[in-house]
Amino acid sequence: MKKENIGKVSVIVSTYNRCDALQVCLRSLFQQAVLPDEVIIGDDGSTEETAVLIKKLQKEAPFPLIHVWHEDKGYRLAMMRNKCVAKSSGNYIIEIDGDVFAHPLFVADHIKEATIGCYLKG
């Protein structure tokens, strides 16, 4: 399937107080052969350090880089992912953790394997 056929692609990146890993993850998404239409960072209550990093990277990002944050009230990753899906504008959503380094064909491979009505994992 081609990107035109699936519409907008949103990548949701989950994070919590791991600026070092998040920076590597986001920079790997900046280098994709096929760029997503947006990346939404689902922040499960990180400190201000994460917000500062995201503001810096928003200036460099080749796509909209959206920060969704909620207060740290314990592990609420599922709730944060749901908030990110609600915020997304994509027809096709890829979810990854903020400590993932995506190879340059990560998004392209997902698009190539996309099938309507099928959940793709891996």
Side-chain angles (χ1 to χ4, degrees):
M1 190 169 285
K2 294 185 179 185
K3 189 173 180 186
E4 310 79 69
N5 297 342
I6 62 172
K8 291 181 77 172
V9 175
S10 299
V11 175
I12 295 174
V13 179
S14 304
T15 193
Y16 177 75
N17 286 330
R18 283 292 314 274
C19 283
D20 57 339
L22 181 62
Q23 181 166 234
V24 170
C25 176
L26 293 175
R27 289 192 184 282
S28 73
L29 292 173
F30 292 0
Q31 301 300 315
Q32 291 297 296
V34 176
L35 293 171
D37 294 288
E38 65 185 2
V39 171
I40 302 170
I41 302 163
D43 187 345
D44 192 20
S46 298
T47 63
E48 184 66 22
E49 181 182 7
T50 300
V52 169
L53 171 66
I54 293 167
K55 283 180 186 162
K56 175 186 162 214
L57 293 175
Q58 283 172 328
K59 296 174 187 168
E60 302 172 28
F63 40 67
L65 188 59
I66 301 158
H67 186 199
V68 178
W69 179 89
H70 63 199
E71 186 179 357
D72 186 358
K73 291 185 177 179
Y75 185 75
R76 299 187 299 156
L77 178 60
M79 180 185 290
M80 177 47 67
R81 283 187 178 141
N82 288 339
K83 288 179 179 181
C84 290
V85 169
K87 183 84 171 176
S88 75
S89 63
N91 305 65
Y92 187 77
I93 296 173
I94 301 170
E95 294 180 343
I96 61 173
D97 291 330
D99 60 357
V100 169
F101 177 80
H103 66 84
L105 297 175
F106 178 76
V107 172
D109 286 348
H110 266 273
I111 293 167
K112 184 175 86 175
E113 298 299 325
T115 304
I116 294 172
C118 180
Y119 177 80
L120 179 63
K121 182 178 178 184

mmCIF file with all atom_site columns, all heavy atoms in Angstrom, residues 63-79:
data_model
loop_
_atom_site.group_PDB
_atom_site.id
_atom_site.type_symbol
_atom_site.label_atom_id
_atom_site.label_alt_id
_atom_site.label_comp_id
_atom_site.label_asym_id
_atom_site.label_entity_id
_atom_site.label_seq_id
_atom_site.pdbx_PDB_ins_code
_atom_site.Cartn_x
_atom_site.Cartn_y
_atom_site.Cartn_z
_atom_site.occupancy
_atom_site.B_iso_or_equiv
_atom_site.pdbx_formal_charge
_atom_site.auth_seq_id
_atom_site.auth_comp_id
_atom_site.auth_asym_id
_atom_site.auth_atom_id
_atom_site.pdbx_PDB_model_num
ATOM 1   N N   . PHE A 1 63 ? 8.328  17.896 10.356 1.00 0.00 ? 63 PHE A N   1
ATOM 2   C CA  . PHE A 1 63 ? 6.886  17.648 10.442 1.00 0.00 ? 63 PHE A CA  1
ATOM 3   C C   . PHE A 1 63 ? 6.416  18.262 11.751 1.00 0.00 ? 63 PHE A C   1
ATOM 4   O O   . PHE A 1 63 ? 7.229  18.580 12.611 1.00 0.00 ? 63 PHE A O   1
ATOM 5   C CB  . PHE A 1 63 ? 6.580  16.143 10.416 1.00 0.00 ? 63 PHE A CB  1
ATOM 6   C CG  . PHE A 1 63 ? 7.553  15.310 11.216 1.00 0.00 ? 63 PHE A CG  1
ATOM 7   C CD1 . PHE A 1 63 ? 7.635  15.407 12.604 1.00 0.00 ? 63 PHE A CD1 1
ATOM 8   C CD2 . PHE A 1 63 ? 8.418  14.450 10.577 1.00 0.00 ? 63 PHE A CD2 1
ATOM 9   C CE1 . PHE A 1 63 ? 8.548  14.666 13.330 1.00 0.00 ? 63 PHE A CE1 1
ATOM 10  C CE2 . PHE A 1 63 ? 9.338  13.692 11.288 1.00 0.00 ? 63 PHE A CE2 1
ATOM 11  C CZ  . PHE A 1 63 ? 9.398  13.806 12.677 1.00 0.00 ? 63 PHE A CZ  1
ATOM 12  N N   . PRO A 1 64 ? 5.114  18.447 11.920 1.00 0.00 ? 64 PRO A N   1
ATOM 13  C CA  . PRO A 1 64 ? 4.634  18.941 13.212 1.00 0.00 ? 64 PRO A CA  1
ATOM 14  C C   . PRO A 1 64 ? 5.003  17.961 14.334 1.00 0.00 ? 64 PRO A C   1
ATOM 15  O O   . PRO A 1 64 ? 4.790  16.746 14.212 1.00 0.00 ? 64 PRO A O   1
ATOM 16  C CB  . PRO A 1 64 ? 3.116  19.018 13.035 1.00 0.00 ? 64 PRO A CB  1
ATOM 17  C CG  . PRO A 1 64 ? 2.911  19.139 11.567 1.00 0.00 ? 64 PRO A CG  1
ATOM 18  C CD  . PRO A 1 64 ? 4.022  18.334 10.946 1.00 0.00 ? 64 PRO A CD  1
ATOM 19  N N   . LEU A 1 65 ? 5.579  18.495 15.385 1.00 0.00 ? 65 LEU A N   1
ATOM 20  C CA  . LEU A 1 65 ? 5.979  17.723 16.564 1.00 0.00 ? 65 LEU A CA  1
ATOM 21  C C   . LEU A 1 65 ? 5.121  18.232 17.723 1.00 0.00 ? 65 LEU A C   1
ATOM 22  O O   . LEU A 1 65 ? 5.293  19.362 18.179 1.00 0.00 ? 65 LEU A O   1
ATOM 23  C CB  . LEU A 1 65 ? 7.472  17.925 16.827 1.00 0.00 ? 65 LEU A CB  1
ATOM 24  C CG  . LEU A 1 65 ? 8.139  17.076 17.879 1.00 0.00 ? 65 LEU A CG  1
ATOM 25  C CD1 . LEU A 1 65 ? 8.020  15.594 17.565 1.00 0.00 ? 65 LEU A CD1 1
ATOM 26  C CD2 . LEU A 1 65 ? 9.619  17.468 17.986 1.00 0.00 ? 65 LEU A CD2 1
ATOM 27  N N   . ILE A 1 66 ? 4.185  17.408 18.148 1.00 0.00 ? 66 ILE A N   1
ATOM 28  C CA  . ILE A 1 66 ? 3.159  17.819 19.098 1.00 0.00 ? 66 ILE A CA  1
ATOM 29  C C   . ILE A 1 66 ? 3.431  17.164 20.454 1.00 0.00 ? 66 ILE A C   1
ATOM 30  O O   . ILE A 1 66 ? 3.646  15.949 20.532 1.00 0.00 ? 66 ILE A O   1
ATOM 31  C CB  . ILE A 1 66 ? 1.762  17.411 18.572 1.00 0.00 ? 66 ILE A CB  1
ATOM 32  C CG1 . ILE A 1 66 ? 1.516  18.074 17.210 1.00 0.00 ? 66 ILE A CG1 1
ATOM 33  C CG2 . ILE A 1 66 ? 0.663  17.754 19.574 1.00 0.00 ? 66 ILE A CG2 1
ATOM 34  C CD1 . ILE A 1 66 ? 0.484  17.386 16.358 1.00 0.00 ? 66 ILE A CD1 1
ATOM 35  N N   . HIS A 1 67 ? 3.406  17.964 21.515 1.00 0.00 ? 67 HIS A N   1
ATOM 36  C CA  . HIS A 1 67 ? 3.659  17.470 22.868 1.00 0.00 ? 67 HIS A CA  1
ATOM 37  C C   . HIS A 1 67 ? 2.350  17.401 23.643 1.00 0.00 ? 67 HIS A C   1
ATOM 38  O O   . HIS A 1 67 ? 1.691  18.406 23.856 1.00 0.00 ? 67 HIS A O   1
ATOM 39  C CB  . HIS A 1 67 ? 4.643  18.416 23.568 1.00 0.00 ? 67 HIS A CB  1
ATOM 40  C CG  . HIS A 1 67 ? 5.089  17.948 24.913 1.00 0.00 ? 67 HIS A CG  1
ATOM 41  N ND1 . HIS A 1 67 ? 5.647  18.814 25.822 1.00 0.00 ? 67 HIS A ND1 1
ATOM 42  C CD2 . HIS A 1 67 ? 5.081  16.738 25.509 1.00 0.00 ? 67 HIS A CD2 1
ATOM 43  C CE1 . HIS A 1 67 ? 5.963  18.148 26.917 1.00 0.00 ? 67 HIS A CE1 1
ATOM 44  N NE2 . HIS A 1 67 ? 5.628  16.884 26.756 1.00 0.00 ? 67 HIS A NE2 1
ATOM 45  N N   . VAL A 1 68 ? 1.972  16.198 24.045 1.00 0.00 ? 68 VAL A N   1
ATOM 46  C CA  . VAL A 1 68 ? 0.789  15.991 24.875 1.00 0.00 ? 68 VAL A CA  1
ATOM 47  C C   . VAL A 1 68 ? 1.288  15.508 26.233 1.00 0.00 ? 68 VAL A C   1
ATOM 48  O O   . VAL A 1 68 ? 1.983  14.496 26.316 1.00 0.00 ? 68 VAL A O   1
ATOM 49  C CB  . VAL A 1 68 ? -0.173 14.951 24.241 1.00 0.00 ? 68 VAL A CB  1
ATOM 50  C CG1 . VAL A 1 68 ? -1.373 14.719 25.143 1.00 0.00 ? 68 VAL A CG1 1
ATOM 51  C CG2 . VAL A 1 68 ? -0.612 15.399 22.859 1.00 0.00 ? 68 VAL A CG2 1
ATOM 52  N N   . TRP A 1 69 ? 0.942  16.241 27.289 1.00 0.00 ? 69 TRP A N   1
ATOM 53  C CA  . TRP A 1 69 ? 1.449  15.962 28.638 1.00 0.00 ? 69 TRP A CA  1
ATOM 54  C C   . TRP A 1 69 ? 0.295  15.880 29.611 1.00 0.00 ? 69 TRP A C   1
ATOM 55  O O   . TRP A 1 69 ? -0.710 16.585 29.460 1.00 0.00 ? 69 TRP A O   1
ATOM 56  C CB  . TRP A 1 69 ? 2.394  17.095 29.047 1.00 0.00 ? 69 TRP A CB  1
ATOM 57  C CG  . TRP A 1 69 ? 2.984  16.986 30.422 1.00 0.00 ? 69 TRP A CG  1
ATOM 58  C CD1 . TRP A 1 69 ? 4.148  16.350 30.759 1.00 0.00 ? 69 TRP A CD1 1
ATOM 59  C CD2 . TRP A 1 69 ? 2.478  17.541 31.644 1.00 0.00 ? 69 TRP A CD2 1
ATOM 60  N NE1 . TRP A 1 69 ? 4.388  16.470 32.110 1.00 0.00 ? 69 TRP A NE1 1
ATOM 61  C CE2 . TRP A 1 69 ? 3.359  17.201 32.678 1.00 0.00 ? 69 TRP A CE2 1
ATOM 62  C CE3 . TRP A 1 69 ? 1.331  18.281 31.966 1.00 0.00 ? 69 TRP A CE3 1
ATOM 63  C CZ2 . TRP A 1 69 ? 3.166  17.574 34.003 1.00 0.00 ? 69 TRP A CZ2 1
ATOM 64  C CZ3 . TRP A 1 69 ? 1.132  18.654 33.288 1.00 0.00 ? 69 TRP A CZ3 1
ATOM 65  C CH2 . TRP A 1 69 ? 2.045  18.304 34.290 1.00 0.00 ? 69 TRP A CH2 1
ATOM 66  N N   . HIS A 1 70 ? 0.428  15.018 30.586 1.00 0.00 ? 70 HIS A N   1
ATOM 67  C CA  . HIS A 1 70 ? -0.468 15.087 31.737 1.00 0.00 ? 70 HIS A CA  1
ATOM 68  C C   . HIS A 1 70 ? 0.354  14.910 33.009 1.00 0.00 ? 70 HIS A C   1
ATOM 69  O O   . HIS A 1 70 ? 1.492  14.436 32.980 1.00 0.00 ? 70 HIS A O   1
ATOM 70  C CB  . HIS A 1 70 ? -1.652 14.125 31.645 1.00 0.00 ? 70 HIS A CB  1
ATOM 71  C CG  . HIS A 1 70 ? -1.329 12.660 31.624 1.00 0.00 ? 70 HIS A CG  1
ATOM 72  N ND1 . HIS A 1 70 ? -2.219 11.738 31.164 1.00 0.00 ? 70 HIS A ND1 1
ATOM 73  C CD2 . HIS A 1 70 ? -0.244 11.947 32.017 1.00 0.00 ? 70 HIS A CD2 1
ATOM 74  C CE1 . HIS A 1 70 ? -1.704 10.524 31.267 1.00 0.00 ? 70 HIS A CE1 1
ATOM 75  N NE2 . HIS A 1 70 ? -0.511 10.630 31.788 1.00 0.00 ? 70 HIS A NE2 1
ATOM 76  N N   . GLU A 1 71 ? -0.242 15.310 34.109 1.00 0.00 ? 71 GLU A N   1
ATOM 77  C CA  . GLU A 1 71 ? 0.426  15.284 35.405 1.00 0.00 ? 71 GLU A CA  1
ATOM 78  C C   . GLU A 1 71 ? 0.823  13.861 35.788 1.00 0.00 ? 71 GLU A C   1
ATOM 79  O O   . GLU A 1 71 ? 0.118  12.897 35.488 1.00 0.00 ? 71 GLU A O   1
ATOM 80  C CB  . GLU A 1 71 ? -0.529 15.863 36.456 1.00 0.00 ? 71 GLU A CB  1
ATOM 81  C CG  . GLU A 1 71 ? 0.075  16.022 37.824 1.00 0.00 ? 71 GLU A CG  1
ATOM 82  C CD  . GLU A 1 71 ? -0.896 16.623 38.830 1.00 0.00 ? 71 GLU A CD  1
ATOM 83  O OE1 . GLU A 1 71 ? -2.034 16.964 38.450 1.00 0.00 ? 71 GLU A OE1 1
ATOM 84  O OE2 . GLU A 1 71 ? -0.507 16.731 39.993 1.00 0.00 ? 71 GLU A OE2 1
ATOM 85  N N   . ASP A 1 72 ? 1.968  13.762 36.462 1.00 0.00 ? 72 ASP A N   1
ATOM 86  C CA  . ASP A 1 72 ? 2.471  12.480 36.931 1.00 0.00 ? 72 ASP A CA  1
ATOM 87  C C   . ASP A 1 72 ? 1.656  12.025 38.145 1.00 0.00 ? 72 ASP A C   1
ATOM 88  O O   . ASP A 1 72 ? 1.830  12.521 39.244 1.00 0.00 ? 72 ASP A O   1
ATOM 89  C CB  . ASP A 1 72 ? 3.948  12.592 37.289 1.00 0.00 ? 72 ASP A CB  1
ATOM 90  C CG  . ASP A 1 72 ? 4.585  11.261 37.652 1.00 0.00 ? 72 ASP A CG  1
ATOM 91  O OD1 . ASP A 1 72 ? 3.867  10.247 37.671 1.00 0.00 ? 72 ASP A OD1 1
ATOM 92  O OD2 . ASP A 1 72 ? 5.800  11.239 37.922 1.00 0.00 ? 72 ASP A OD2 1
ATOM 93  N N   . LYS A 1 73 ? 0.749  11.096 37.893 1.00 0.00 ? 73 LYS A N   1
ATOM 94  C CA  . LYS A 1 73 ? -0.051 10.497 38.969 1.00 0.00 ? 73 LYS A CA  1
ATOM 95  C C   . LYS A 1 73 ? 0.139  8.987  38.938 1.00 0.00 ? 73 LYS A C   1
ATOM 96  O O   . LYS A 1 73 ? -0.816 8.226  39.111 1.00 0.00 ? 73 LYS A O   1
ATOM 97  C CB  . LYS A 1 73 ? -1.528 10.847 38.796 1.00 0.00 ? 73 LYS A CB  1
ATOM 98  C CG  . LYS A 1 73 ? -1.850 12.306 39.020 1.00 0.00 ? 73 LYS A CG  1
ATOM 99  C CD  . LYS A 1 73 ? -3.354 12.528 38.934 1.00 0.00 ? 73 LYS A CD  1
ATOM 100 C CE  . LYS A 1 73 ? -3.687 13.976 39.228 1.00 0.00 ? 73 LYS A CE  1
ATOM 101 N NZ  . LYS A 1 73 ? -5.146 14.206 39.123 1.00 0.00 ? 73 LYS A NZ  1
ATOM 102 N N   . GLY A 1 74 ? 1.357  8.573  38.668 1.00 0.00 ? 74 GLY A N   1
ATOM 103 C CA  . GLY A 1 74 ? 1.634  7.151  38.527 1.00 0.00 ? 74 GLY A CA  1
ATOM 104 C C   . GLY A 1 74 ? 1.609  6.752  37.058 1.00 0.00 ? 74 GLY A C   1
ATOM 105 O O   . GLY A 1 74 ? 1.453  7.572  36.170 1.00 0.00 ? 74 GLY A O   1
ATOM 106 N N   . TYR A 1 75 ? 1.789  5.482  36.829 1.00 0.00 ? 75 TYR A N   1
ATOM 107 C CA  . TYR A 1 75 ? 1.874  4.927  35.474 1.00 0.00 ? 75 TYR A CA  1
ATOM 108 C C   . TYR A 1 75 ? 0.500  4.961  34.813 1.00 0.00 ? 75 TYR A C   1
ATOM 109 O O   . TYR A 1 75 ? -0.407 4.215  35.176 1.00 0.00 ? 75 TYR A O   1
ATOM 110 C CB  . TYR A 1 75 ? 2.400  3.493  35.564 1.00 0.00 ? 75 TYR A CB  1
ATOM 111 C CG  . TYR A 1 75 ? 2.662  2.841  34.243 1.00 0.00 ? 75 TYR A CG  1
ATOM 112 C CD1 . TYR A 1 75 ? 3.775  3.182  33.492 1.00 0.00 ? 75 TYR A CD1 1
ATOM 113 C CD2 . TYR A 1 75 ? 1.809  1.871  33.748 1.00 0.00 ? 75 TYR A CD2 1
ATOM 114 C CE1 . TYR A 1 75 ? 4.033  2.571  32.275 1.00 0.00 ? 75 TYR A CE1 1
ATOM 115 C CE2 . TYR A 1 75 ? 2.052  1.249  32.534 1.00 0.00 ? 75 TYR A CE2 1
ATOM 116 C CZ  . TYR A 1 75 ? 3.163  1.604  31.806 1.00 0.00 ? 75 TYR A CZ  1
ATOM 117 O OH  . TYR A 1 75 ? 3.411  0.992  30.603 1.00 0.00 ? 75 TYR A OH  1
ATOM 118 N N   . ARG A 1 76 ? 0.346  5.876  33.839 1.00 0.00 ? 76 ARG A N   1
ATOM 119 C CA  . ARG A 1 76 ? -0.928 6.015  33.114 1.00 0.00 ? 76 ARG A CA  1
ATOM 120 C C   . ARG A 1 76 ? -0.674 6.065  31.610 1.00 0.00 ? 76 ARG A C   1
ATOM 121 O O   . ARG A 1 76 ? -1.226 6.884  30.885 1.00 0.00 ? 76 ARG A O   1
ATOM 122 C CB  . ARG A 1 76 ? -1.657 7.276  33.588 1.00 0.00 ? 76 ARG A CB  1
ATOM 123 C CG  . ARG A 1 76 ? -1.987 7.241  35.069 1.00 0.00 ? 76 ARG A CG  1
ATOM 124 C CD  . ARG A 1 76 ? -2.842 8.403  35.506 1.00 0.00 ? 76 ARG A CD  1
ATOM 125 N NE  . ARG A 1 76 ? -2.171 9.681  35.267 1.00 0.00 ? 76 ARG A NE  1
ATOM 126 C CZ  . ARG A 1 76 ? -2.817 10.836 35.109 1.00 0.00 ? 76 ARG A CZ  1
ATOM 127 N NH1 . ARG A 1 76 ? -4.125 10.884 35.180 1.00 0.00 ? 76 ARG A NH1 1
ATOM 128 N NH2 . ARG A 1 76 ? -2.157 11.950 34.901 1.00 0.00 ? 76 ARG A NH2 1
ATOM 129 N N   . LEU A 1 77 ? 0.188  5.167  31.158 1.00 0.00 ? 77 LEU A N   1
ATOM 130 C CA  . LEU A 1 77 ? 0.590  5.150  29.753 1.00 0.00 ? 77 LEU A CA  1
ATOM 131 C C   . LEU A 1 77 ? -0.594 4.910  28.814 1.00 0.00 ? 77 LEU A C   1
ATOM 132 O O   . LEU A 1 77 ? -0.722 5.576  27.791 1.00 0.00 ? 77 LEU A O   1
ATOM 133 C CB  . LEU A 1 77 ? 1.667  4.086  29.526 1.00 0.00 ? 77 LEU A CB  1
ATOM 134 C CG  . LEU A 1 77 ? 2.159  3.914  28.100 1.00 0.00 ? 77 LEU A CG  1
ATOM 135 C CD1 . LEU A 1 77 ? 2.764  5.208  27.568 1.00 0.00 ? 77 LEU A CD1 1
ATOM 136 C CD2 . LEU A 1 77 ? 3.171  2.787  28.030 1.00 0.00 ? 77 LEU A CD2 1
ATOM 137 N N   . ALA A 1 78 ? -1.472 3.986  29.151 1.00 0.00 ? 78 ALA A N   1
ATOM 138 C CA  . ALA A 1 78 ? -2.613 3.704  28.278 1.00 0.00 ? 78 ALA A CA  1
ATOM 139 C C   . ALA A 1 78 ? -3.485 4.938  28.117 1.00 0.00 ? 78 ALA A C   1
ATOM 140 O O   . ALA A 1 78 ? -3.930 5.256  27.003 1.00 0.00 ? 78 ALA A O   1
ATOM 141 C CB  . ALA A 1 78 ? -3.429 2.535  28.831 1.00 0.00 ? 78 ALA A CB  1
ATOM 142 N N   . MET A 1 79 ? -3.720 5.661  29.199 1.00 0.00 ? 79 MET A N   1
ATOM 143 C CA  . MET A 1 79 ? -4.510 6.884  29.127 1.00 0.00 ? 79 MET A CA  1
ATOM 144 C C   . MET A 1 79 ? -3.821 7.911  28.227 1.00 0.00 ? 79 MET A C   1
ATOM 145 O O   . MET A 1 79 ? -4.472 8.578  27.415 1.00 0.00 ? 79 MET A O   1
ATOM 146 C CB  . MET A 1 79 ? -4.716 7.479  30.525 1.00 0.00 ? 79 MET A CB  1
ATOM 147 C CG  . MET A 1 79 ? -5.525 8.758  30.525 1.00 0.00 ? 79 MET A CG  1
ATOM 148 S SD  . MET A 1 79 ? -5.621 9.524  32.169 1.00 0.00 ? 79 MET A SD  1
ATOM 149 C CE  . MET A 1 79 ? -6.674 8.354  33.001 1.00 0.00 ? 79 MET A CE  1
#
